[in-house]
Amino acid sequence: MYNKKPNNSVDILDLFNENKLVKICAPMVRYSKLQFRSLVREYGCDLCYTPMILADSICLSDKARNNEFTTNLKDSPLVVQFAANTVHDFVGASYMVSPYCNGVDLNCGCPQRWAKQMGIGCSLLDKPELIADLISQCRNKITKPFTVSVKLRILKDIKKTIEICKRLEKAGASYISVHARTPSQHTGDINLEALKLIVENVDCPVVGNGGIKNLEDCINLQAETKCKGVMVANSLLANPTLFTGSQSTTEECVQKWLDICYNSTLNTISYSNCDPSVTPVIPECPPNLTFQCFHHHLVFMLEKLLPRSKRRIFNNLQSFKDVLLFLYEHFGISLQRYDLNKFENSKILDLDYNNREEVYLKLKRNSVMNSSLVENVSNDYSYENSNGKFFKSKLVDDTDSIEYDL
């Protein structure tokens, strides 16, 4: 059954005009999904991104739409980030999701080898005319206040980076997010001077990204570069309360994560049939939630709440039951059901894409490019089947910080 829509009338540009500093949850493969977005919105996050989604998979596959993009009535303002290198994929996918978000973003920063081989992510920086065309055609197809933005990395030649940003602004980019490292840089200090020069040379809002550890870093980055917003990735995973000024995850935050995850597995019928006298549990194969997502986030959040010996035990747990038992024994917290009003506003919506594929089909007919990103990537890379370097580091050597921002 089709639900009412989330509030997609919010103008993201109003955030930049009304707030001194816009605090943003970055697009993170595997991690910036609905449940995590719901959590960080509780702690001062002004704007959330979805994980990077392959645009043509949204256009071609009902399964991909259901798996890769979920939302609820409270999930706003929201930007859906796409990886694409053709007009029909980017504009088609953007048009499909536009009733359920406040803007879309083109990924021009992913440095992964498979992305470069497919001609998406940071490889697009070699084709600024293509990026501009994607932005321009998307901007012309979907009316404002819907935003169309770009997230990119810088080039070694900063003048060339500035030229690209100017070209994107002229093409109609609502704002630009800049990960101030080159595609070959994965760690280390970001290039503050480059970010500052970009801000000075474009009129649209610029968001700074890279190397943020806490709220003080956010404030300092804005002070040094005059960027209008700050986007945070892996530090927000370790501490979803970062934007409040808290230095580490709180037990209250862990409790909220449990409640969000549990209630997101329910629909109206299952919620109505819940017995209040029975202790809530998460089944081992719940809808709309993977154990990987549930557990990995807790691994990051509990890093400073548990001693090393306990972390190693927790990080290797393999079931919802074992995780919930561990949390109850060590923190005395357990799952809580929402009241009816809160549940209705937080339940996952059934999205209606009826007739919205027509734009994609029309654009594709007019295009000379007929390659499929899904066919190219499906045999080489799977977001859900891979733990990712950031998570694996917690199991192997428990390092403190690994940049995980695609």
Side-chain angles (χ1 to χ4, degrees), residues 154-399:
I154 61 173
L155 301 172
K156 291 182 179 179
D157 184 348
I158 187 58
K159 291 183 178 180
K160 187 174 180 180
T161 309
I162 293 172
E163 289 173 1
I164 292 174
C165 291
K166 286 182 175 180
R167 187 166 190 168
L168 299 184
E169 180 181 31
K170 187 176 181 180
S174 306
Y175 62 96
I176 300 170
S177 300
V178 180
H179 186 151
R181 294 188 178 100
T182 66
S184 62
Q185 290 178 296
H186 300 290
T187 59
D189 294 337
I190 65 171
N191 190 331
L192 290 173
E193 185 61 26
L195 180 58
K196 182 179 179 181
L197 286 171
I198 293 171
V199 172
E200 292 174 349
N201 281 276
V202 297
D203 294 324
C204 68
V206 175
V207 173
N209 174 225
I212 297 296
K213 303 298 182 186
N214 49 49
L215 181 61
E216 184 179 4
D217 287 346
C218 297
I219 295 170
N220 290 340
L221 182 63
Q222 183 183 54
E224 293 185 54
T225 66
K226 308 303 180 185
C227 60
K228 291 293 293 181
V230 173
M231 180 181 285
V232 183
N234 58 305
S235 293
L236 202 57
L237 292 178
N239 178 17
T241 69
L242 181 149
F243 289 136
T244 68
S246 174
Q247 295 302 308
S248 62
T249 303
T250 61
E251 291 185 22
E252 175 201 59
C253 180
V254 176
Q255 176 71 67
K256 288 187 176 183
W257 175 247
L258 294 192
D259 297 345
I260 288 168
C261 287
Y262 168 67
N263 287 277
S264 72
T265 67
L266 303 175
N267 57 31
T268 301
I269 294 175
S270 58
Y271 177 87
S272 301
N273 291 335
C274 285
D275 185 346
S277 65
V278 176
T279 302
V281 296
I282 297 179
E284 286 307 311
C285 295
N288 304 310
L289 180 67
T290 64
F291 176 74
Q292 182 190 73
C293 174
F294 174 73
H295 180 231
H296 285 197
H297 278 292
L298 286 169
V299 168
F300 305 140
M301 287 189 274
L302 294 176
E303 186 171 4
K304 293 186 178 179
L305 289 177
L306 290 172
R308 180 183 289 256
S309 60
K310 296 294 184 182
R311 286 204 304 270
R312 292 201 178 274
I313 295 172
F314 182 83
N315 293 359
N316 286 284
L317 295 178
Q318 300 294 321
S319 72
F320 286 103
K321 180 181 178 181
D322 289 343
V323 169
L324 295 175
L325 180 61
F326 183 101
L327 294 175
Y328 183 75
E329 290 179 345
H330 287 80
F331 300 103
I333 59 179
S334 56
L335 302 172
Q336 302 293 323
R337 293 189 187 92
Y338 288 159
D339 62 42
L340 181 58
N341 181 63
K342 188 171 184 179
F343 169 76
E344 289 294 337
N345 282 299
S346 354
K347 69 180 181 181
I348 294 176
L349 298 176
D350 296 321
L351 305 182
D352 182 8
Y353 295 105
N354 189 39
N355 295 324
R356 299 203 68 80
E357 70 277 6
E358 292 178 358
V359 168
Y360 165 75
L361 294 173
K362 180 178 180 181
L363 289 170
K364 188 170 185 180
R365 282 194 298 267
N366 296 332
S367 173
V368 295
M369 300 179 70
N370 295 307
S371 61
S372 170
L373 297 183
V374 172
E375 293 177 359
N376 289 339
V377 75
S378 60
N379 293 327
D380 299 324
Y381 191 85
S382 170
Y383 299 149
E384 296 300 340
N385 292 336
S386 169
N387 282 333
K389 291 181 180 179
F390 191 30
F391 176 73
K392 287 178 180 177
S393 72
K394 303 300 179 185
L395 303 182
V396 178
D397 59 9
D398 204 38
T399 53

